[in-house]
Amino acid sequence: MHSMEGTTIICVKRGDCVAMAGDGQVTLGSQVVKMTARKVRRIGGKARGDVIAGFAGSTADAMTLLERFEKQLDEHQGNLLRAAGALMKDWRTDKYLRRLEAMMIVADKNDVFLLSGAGDILEPENGVAAIGSGGAFAQAAAFAMLDNTGLSAAEIARKSIEIASRICIYTNDSIILEEIG
């Protein structure tokens, strides 16, 4: 699985809370073209329960995946795993989707899944998932905070993006944060 340049998304589950944060920077080559993009979104509606999605990669491709995932979430009455499985099946078998260059993290109050461009559904065992060019930096920061602080999932997610923004040139500190729980 390769890292996507141009974003950092992290999801942290601690206790009954799940928080996802993303930076706002959009780059085109070596140029910053937007500082406040919204790469983390709450989807799923109140009737089914809350779902948070974050994406990295080509903006158009990521938006296509987000729309397809929302459709699958509707078709599977808000069941996160079934919706993710259906999207990954489509991603592996559809000629158009196979060419998309994006990754997603999706989460509800119970589960966190990383959806890769290879059509994989990965469930982190440790409650932390990260994608994008600054993902490894944010993930390392989150692990350190989980092990050594009593910070909430939201505080860890926010601080992890802030730390990654100091290291990764494709990550800024304009943070969008969504939380469940």
Side-chain angles (χ1 to χ4, degrees):
M1 179 173 11
H2 71 286
S3 175
M4 301 289 178
E5 288 185 357
T7 200
T8 301
I9 303 294
I10 187 152
C11 185
V12 178
K13 183 169 178 23
R14 179 168 244 183
D16 293 336
C17 294
V18 176
M20 190 179 301
D23 77 311
Q25 185 166 293
V26 176
T27 56
L28 186 57
S30 61
Q31 180 181 357
V32 175
V33 293
K34 187 169 184 172
M35 300 286 289
T36 58
R38 186 172 185 84
K39 303 171 197 173
V40 173
R41 298 172 186 219
R42 185 176 295 271
I43 60 175
K46 298 289 184 200
R48 288 192 306 268
D50 291 323
V51 173
I52 304 170
F55 48 84
S58 164
T59 304
D61 291 352
M63 295 308 294
T64 297
L65 286 175
L66 183 63
E67 289 172 10
R68 295 270 185 125
F69 180 72
E70 284 185 284
K71 181 180 174 192
Q72 292 295 343
L73 202 56
D74 286 341
E75 288 180 16
H76 295 287
Q77 292 80 40
N79 184 307
L80 189 68
L81 180 58
R82 291 186 67 211
L87 178 65
M88 291 299 90
K89 180 182 175 191
D90 288 348
W91 204 345
R92 285 190 307 269
T93 59
D94 185 287
K95 281 184 178 181
Y96 171 73
L97 289 179
R98 278 194 307 241
R99 293 190 195 111
L100 297 182
E101 295 182 14
M103 297 175 74
M104 291 177 62
I105 298 174
V106 295
D108 63 13
K109 65 183 178 182
N110 300 311
D111 297 304
V112 175
F113 299 116
L114 190 153
L115 310 180
S116 80
D120 297 318
I121 301 172
L122 306 171
E123 182 177 17
E125 293 177 353
N126 47 30
V128 176
I131 56 176
S133 56
F137 303 122
Q139 189 171 26
F143 287 148
M145 287 183 268
L146 277 170
D147 290 347
N148 297 292
T149 73
L151 295 173
S152 70
E155 291 168 317
I156 292 171
R158 178 176 298 282
K159 288 184 181 297
S160 296
I161 296 291
E162 289 171 358
I163 290 167
S165 76
R166 294 184 214 152
I167 302 167
C168 177
I169 62 170
Y170 295 108
T171 303
N172 72 5
D173 61 358
S174 175
I175 298 168
I176 300 294
L177 179 94
E178 292 287 350
E179 183 179 13
I180 300 172

